[in-house]
Amino acid sequence: MKKPVYDTLIIGPMSLDIMIDCEGKEEHLVGGAVVQSGYAASNTGARCAVFTKLSPADADIYQAFADCPADVYWKVSKKTTSIRNRYFTPDKERRECTLLSCCDPFTFSDLPPVSARIYHFAGLVYGDFSEEMFQEASGHGLVAVDVQCLLRHGERDGSMTYHDWENKKEFLPYIDFLKADAAEAKVLTGTDDRREAARILHDLGAGEVMISEGSEILVYDGNEYYTCPILSRNLSGRTGRGDTVFAGYLVERLKYEIPDALRFATALVSLKMETPGPFKGTREDVLSYSRSFYAGVSRRDGVRSHT
C-alpha cells in the first residue's frame, strides 16, 4: 500500500494547559503547539497530519481535533504533558510556566508510516525529542523546529528555566526552518538584536530563521531580512501566536517565495489572535483579512527586505 503523503507532519505532545490571566481568571484547556499548529496549517488548505502522545485517561484526542482537517495519529504515553501558565500582563508577553507532568519522549520510529515534505517539530520542553530525530528526518524531507523544545527545561520543583542549546553547532545544519521568539533568540545567541541573532543562527547552519515578537515577524535566509507587522485589533487569542505563524509560514513556503509566505502567515496570526483558541477559519478568511487590514501596507513596506 502506498504511503500517505502530506505537506507537513506536525510532531509534538498534547498539553493539559492551565491558563491564569493577570486578573487571576483560571481556564483549563487541551492544547499544545501541536494543536495550534495543526489547526493553522490544515485550515489554510495544506494537506496536514499531526502526531502526538498522551494518556487517553487525561483527554480525548479526537475531541481536541474534532473540527480540524488534519489527519490525526497518536501513541499512548504514561503521562500527558501539563503546563500551568500564569500571565502577568494583559498582552501575555510576561508569564511564569510550571511543568506539572511530561509525556514520554518521541523517537523517529514512533512516527506513523507516512511521507511528508516538511517534518515540523512542535515540542514544548527539552527532552520531547532527541536531537538525532532532526538528523534522521532530514533524510526524508525538510526539517522545521520551534526552538522552544530545545531551550525550555523542566526542573525538579516544576519551574521551567531556559538554557542555551548545548549541541546547536552540531544539529542546526539539519534544520531547514528554525523558529524562535525574541527572548529565545537571545538565549541562543546572547544578543537582543533580532537581525544579528538571526544572522548568527544562520551562520551556525540553520536555513531560514524566523524570529517573532509582539509587533512583527522577522525572517532571514542568509541573504536578506524580511519583516511584516502584526496588525491584530485585540489580543484575546494571544496564546499560540508563534505556533500559528510558523505553521502557516511553512506550508506557504512550499508554494511561494518568502515575502508572500511571510505576509500570508502574519495576516493569519493577526486574525487568529483576535479570537481565543486555535485558528478555525479558512484560507479565504485570511486573504480577506489581508485585503482589509494590509491594504494600506504596500508589499514593499509590508514585507520589508533589508540587505
Side-chain angles (χ1 to χ4, degrees), residues 24 29 48 63 72 80 86 91 114 164-165 175-176 184 187 205 213 219 235 238 245 252 257 263 286 290 304 307:
L29 304 167
C48 175
Q63 183 177 352
V72 177
T80 303
R86 185 183 300 275
D91 63 6
V114 305
D164 193 9
W165 179 17
I175 298 175
D176 300 283
E184 292 162 348
V187 172
E213 61 97 26
V219 171
L235 299 175
R238 160 67 180 83
V245 72
E252 289 298 294
E257 296 300 317
R263 185 184 182 93
V286 178
S290 183
R304 301 179 181 88
T307 56

Side-chain angles (χ1 to χ4, degrees), residues 135-151:
Q135 183 176 3
E136 190 161 359
S138 70
H140 298 267
L142 299 171
V143 175
V145 178
D146 187 324
V147 79
Q148 170 180 260
C149 65
L150 298 167
L151 305 184

Side-chain angles (χ1 to χ4, degrees), residues 195-241:
R195 286 175 174 76
E196 178 64 9
R199 185 196 63 76
I200 291 171
L201 292 169
H202 182 273
D203 287 351
L204 288 173
E208 293 177 17
V209 179
M210 172 183 283
I211 300 180
S212 64
E213 61 97 26
S215 63
E216 70 175 16
I217 307 298
L218 176 146
V219 171
Y220 179 63
D221 67 350
N223 295 309
E224 295 188 68
Y225 297 94
Y226 303 86
T227 62
C228 195
I230 292 176
L231 300 178
S232 297
R233 293 166 291 180
N234 70 74
L235 299 175
S236 61
R238 160 67 180 83
T239 300
R241 179 183 71 191

Side-chain angles (χ1 to χ4, degrees), residues 23-231:
E23 296 178 349
K25 180 181 177 182
E26 185 171 315
E27 186 177 14
H28 293 240
L29 304 167
V30 177
V34 71
V35 174
Q36 296 281 354
S37 301
Y39 272 89
S42 58
N43 276 318
T44 56
R47 189 174 187 208
C48 175
V50 299
F51 175 72
T52 190
K53 288 188 175 185
L54 76 161
S55 168
D58 294 328
D60 183 339
I61 186 171
Y62 296 110
Q63 183 177 352
F65 287 98
D67 48 1
C68 179
D71 289 344
V72 177
Y73 302 88
W74 65 289
K75 192 170 183 177
V76 172
S77 170
K78 296 183 185 70
K79 296 180 180 179
T80 303
T81 296
S82 182
I83 298 174
R84 182 173 63 236
N85 297 279
R86 185 183 300 275
Y87 296 98
F88 299 109
T89 56
D91 63 6
K92 298 185 177 180
E93 292 294 328
R94 292 182 54 245
R95 65 179 175 175
E96 175 189 74
C97 300
T98 303
L99 183 64
L100 305 177
S101 60
C102 199
C103 79
D104 299 337
F106 290 74
T107 65
F108 199 83
S109 61
D110 289 330
L111 301 184
V114 305
S115 295
R117 299 174 69 187
I118 298 176
Y119 289 80
H120 175 181
F121 292 90
L124 296 174
V125 295
Y126 185 80
D128 282 342
F129 312 118
S130 70
E131 293 146 325
E132 288 75 16
M133 279 192 78
F134 310 148
Q135 183 176 3
E136 190 161 359
S138 70
H140 298 267
L142 299 171
V143 175
V145 178
D146 187 324
V147 79
Q148 170 180 260
C149 65
L150 298 167
L151 305 184
R152 193 161 71 160
H153 293 247
E155 307 296 345
R156 288 188 176 182
D157 63 358
S159 63
M160 299 179 78
T161 57
Y162 284 79
H163 305 285
D164 193 9
W165 179 17
E166 183 178 353
N167 298 320
K168 63 189 176 188
K169 291 181 181 179
E170 181 180 355
F171 290 99
L172 275 172
Y174 295 104
I175 298 175
D176 300 283
F177 302 97
L178 184 74
K179 156 70 175 61
D181 65 22
E184 292 162 348
K186 183 178 181 180
V187 172
L188 281 166
T189 65
T191 179
D192 285 315
D193 186 321
R194 290 183 300 127
R195 286 175 174 76
E196 178 64 9
R199 185 196 63 76
I200 291 171
L201 292 169
H202 182 273
D203 287 351
L204 288 173
E208 293 177 17
V209 179
M210 172 183 283
I211 300 180
S212 64
E213 61 97 26
S215 63
E216 70 175 16
I217 307 298
L218 176 146
V219 171
Y220 179 63
D221 67 350
N223 295 309
E224 295 188 68
Y225 297 94
Y226 303 86
T227 62
C228 195
I230 292 176
L231 300 178

